[in-house]
């Protein structure tokens, strides 16, 4: 068996590395038209950071895992083709800012139709709207070769920062296919790949449409929980309740559970916002405006939380941050990844720069180039400094903002940092990461989301 994955991004690269590592008898080719990205996958400096990923890639690369730009050749030679290309939210036309842009998926389908000389199993790995398989099938079926390809849905549920662990011991593998003899045989072929290391009872099989929709719904439910607890965090600050205590109390209810009840400055990443917006668009498309409005509120609450945090900084610093140095610790959307897509830090920094603050940013994994791209600035912008340590970022700052929960931030020398800052020295903990009582003993004034507002 030969497997080809089109798309060497956050999903395709790690997923194929795990398949290759667990299935040494299967050749796995990861292909992408981006030559620089492929070169990075073949180097000692991988294009994405994930704990354990370097070792995983080195284990299989050159043995049965290969990265190249030979898209058509690998399509031609493979039995199973994973489609793991980007499906961003549309920024124009019908469905702008909600619907998924499927041009890359369509392009891949047309390339497969052009190149394939034998029946293929095409696996949707990208996050896509329900019924996308129908479009792929239509394109493949229009080819004059008369080949009977099978399209499967196999959504990815890994979380960035824990991707390798999630891939090695997944909660479940979901595979959807047509409920025909040919479709069921294709499903079983993919099941046999995962069964090399995943217990069979954790491999769920459904029809195509259930599988496609399940990915959107899973991310929507997780995003909903975060927006729900963040909405309560605002109420806690007004009433004197503690959001962590409330979360612990309700999370102890077995019907609710404790996960994704951590109040913060807001969720980010490549999936949550995109998938919820996609769900909103689909509900509107199918004539369900009330359902669309319900899920749209999840996004509105998340956006409000980010801006509320930035506004809290402004109000606390005497209603002006103009010319003031603000230290930002963390730019990735979560710890243990260098991914910044939809990171709360982007929105907070933009709001502060809009108020003409001088922002000093430190993140242990995010590059200066990526920060500049996200903030739409040049690397010589006079209002932004790219610090090489938390201590450097905080030196001379009026306030320190914790926007990513990197473990190293827990263990900083806060006494030295306090001495280096302008007084009164403020810490705004957007991740409830730090020991606030100890910080106050040091002399800091502390704000944390969802906590009672003491007199400091």
């Amino acid at each position: 068996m030969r497997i080809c994955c089109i798309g060497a991004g956050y999903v395709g690269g790690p997923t194929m590395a795990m398949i290759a590592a667990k299935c040494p008898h299967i050749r796995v080719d990861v292909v992408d038209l981006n030559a620089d990205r492929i070169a990075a996958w073949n180097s000692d400096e991988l294009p994405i950071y994930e704990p354990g990923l370097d070792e995983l890639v080195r284990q299989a690369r050159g043995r049965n895992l290969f990265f190249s730009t030979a898209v058509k050749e690998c399509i031609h030679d493979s039995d199973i083709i994973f489609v793991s290309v980007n499906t961003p939210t549309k920024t124009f036309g019908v469905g702008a800012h909600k619907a998924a842009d499927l041009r890359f998926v369509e392009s891949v389908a047309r390339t497969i139709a052009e190149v394939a000389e034998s029946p293929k199993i095409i696996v949707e790995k990208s996050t896509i709207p329900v019924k996308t398989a129908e479009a792929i099938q239509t394109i493949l079926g229009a080819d004059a070769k008369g080949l009977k390809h099978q399209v499967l849905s196999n959504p990815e549920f890994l979380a960035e920062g824990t991707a390798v662990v999630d891939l090695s011991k997944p909660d479940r593998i979901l595979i959807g296919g047509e409920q025909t003899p040919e479709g069921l045989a294709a499903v079983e072929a993919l099941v046999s790949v995962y069964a090399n290391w995943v217990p069979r009872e954790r491999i769920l099989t459904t029809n195509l449409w259930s599988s496609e929709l399940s990915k959107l719904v899973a991310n929507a439910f997780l995003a909903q929980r975060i927006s729900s607890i963040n909405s309560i965090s605002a109420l806690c600050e007004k009433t004197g309740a503690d959001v962590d205590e409330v979360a612990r109390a309700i999370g102890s209810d077995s019907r609710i559970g404790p996960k994704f009840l951590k109040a913060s400055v807001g969720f980010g990443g490549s999936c949550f916002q995109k998938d919820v917006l996609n769900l909103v668009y689909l509900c509107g498309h199918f004539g369900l405006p009330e359902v669309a409005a319900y899920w749209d509120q999840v996004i509105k609450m998340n956006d409000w939380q980010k801006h509320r945090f930035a506004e809290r900084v402004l109000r606390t610093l005497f209603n002006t941050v103009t010319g003031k140095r603000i230290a930002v610790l963390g730019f990735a959307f979560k710890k243990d990844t260098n991914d910044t897509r939809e990171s709360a830090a982007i929105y907070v920094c933009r709001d502060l720069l809009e108020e003409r603050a001088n922002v000093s940013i430190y993140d242990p994994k995010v590059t200066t180039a990526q920060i500049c791209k996200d903030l739409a600035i040049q690397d010589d912008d006079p209002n932004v400094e790219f610090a090489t340590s938390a201590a450097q970022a905080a030196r001379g700052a009026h306030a320190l903002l914790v926007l990513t929960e990197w473990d190293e931030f827990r263990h900083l020398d806060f006494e030295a940092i306090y001495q280096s800052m302008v007084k009164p020295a403020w810490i705004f903990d957007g991740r409830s990461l730090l020991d606030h009582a100890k910080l106050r003993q040091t002399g800091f004034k502390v704000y944390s989301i969802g906590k009672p507002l003491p007199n400091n």
Side-chain angles (χ1 to χ4, degrees), residues 71-355:
V71 177
K72 292 185 176 181
E73 293 88 337
C74 289
I75 288 175
H76 181 274
D77 295 339
S78 294
D79 305 294
I80 299 178
I81 302 168
F82 284 81
V83 180
S84 190
V85 295
N86 195 17
T87 53
T89 302
K90 284 185 71 176
T91 58
F92 56 88
V94 176
H97 310 299
K98 285 188 174 67
D101 186 343
L102 298 178
R103 67 179 122 164
F104 302 118
V105 173
E106 179 180 341
S107 176
V108 167
R110 293 188 181 280
T111 302
I112 293 172
E114 171 196 342
V115 172
E117 298 292 342
S118 59
K120 308 293 183 184
I121 297 173
I122 295 118
V123 182
E124 299 170 334
K125 203 65 178 170
S126 305
T127 301
I128 51 177
V130 65
K131 292 292 187 180
T132 299
E134 206 168 64
I136 296 174
Q137 289 167 331
T138 300
I139 292 170
L140 295 172
D143 186 74
K145 299 173 188 174
L147 299 173
K148 299 293 185 181
H149 304 294
Q150 291 297 318
V151 179
L152 305 180
S153 169
N154 176 217
E156 192 54 73
F157 297 103
L158 60 86
E160 290 181 45
T162 58
V164 173
V165 174
D166 294 341
L167 286 165
S168 63
K169 297 179 180 179
D171 289 338
R172 79 291 201 197
I173 297 293
L174 179 60
I175 302 172
E178 287 192 291
Q179 303 301 289
T180 62
E182 297 82 3
L184 294 173
V187 168
E188 194 53 40
L190 187 54
V191 166
S192 71
V193 174
Y194 286 111
N196 281 280
W197 79 96
V198 181
R200 185 61 182 82
E201 62 270 18
R202 291 194 180 183
I203 304 176
L204 311 180
T205 59
T206 68
N207 72 38
L208 259 175
W209 321 125
S210 296
S211 179
E212 287 185 335
L213 186 56
S214 292
K215 171 64 173 179
L216 297 184
V217 173
N219 280 343
F221 271 55
L222 295 175
Q224 177 197 50
R225 285 174 68 93
I226 297 172
S227 281
S228 294
I229 198 64
N230 280 342
S231 72
I232 299 304
S233 74
L235 184 60
C236 286
E237 292 172 22
K238 296 290 187 181
T239 60
D242 184 319
V243 72
D244 286 340
E245 293 178 351
V246 172
R248 186 168 70 250
I250 66 172
S252 299
D253 188 325
S254 61
R255 297 168 300 176
I256 298 172
K259 293 186 176 180
F260 283 79
L261 290 180
K262 184 70 172 176
S264 71
V265 69
F267 62 74
S270 63
C271 291
F272 280 4
Q273 178 157 316
K274 177 169 70 75
D275 290 356
V276 176
L277 288 172
N278 200 338
L279 191 60
V280 170
Y281 177 74
L282 283 171
C283 292
H285 174 76
F286 287 108
L288 301 169
E290 293 82 5
V291 182
Y294 175 83
W295 289 108
D296 191 42
Q297 189 60 35
V298 172
I299 297 298
K300 289 180 179 177
M301 179 55 60
N302 190 55
D303 290 341
W304 178 75
Q305 183 79 341
K306 297 170 187 175
H307 295 303
R308 185 173 81 87
F309 185 84
E311 185 177 350
R312 169 61 66 181
V313 175
L314 175 67
R315 299 295 179 217
T316 302
L317 298 183
F318 315 108
N319 289 315
T320 179
V321 291
T322 302
K324 293 178 180 177
R325 182 180 175 92
I326 308 296
V328 171
L329 300 190
F331 202 82
F333 86 92
K334 63 185 290 190
K335 73 172 184 176
D336 292 334
T337 179
N338 60 350
D339 193 354
T340 62
R341 286 175 289 181
E342 295 300 328
S343 172
I346 297 172
Y347 295 85
V348 173
C349 287
R350 283 176 181 169
D351 285 353
L352 293 173
L353 291 171
E354 183 84 9
E355 292 287 341

Side-chain angles (χ1 to χ4, degrees), residues 325 390-398 400 413-423 425 444:
R325 182 180 175 92
Q392 179 188 335
R395 194 172 300 123
H398 290 252
L400 186 154
D413 185 349
F414 282 104
E415 291 190 5
I417 286 175
Y418 176 75
Q419 295 301 325
S420 75
M421 291 176 64
V422 175
K423 310 302 184 295
F444 284 104

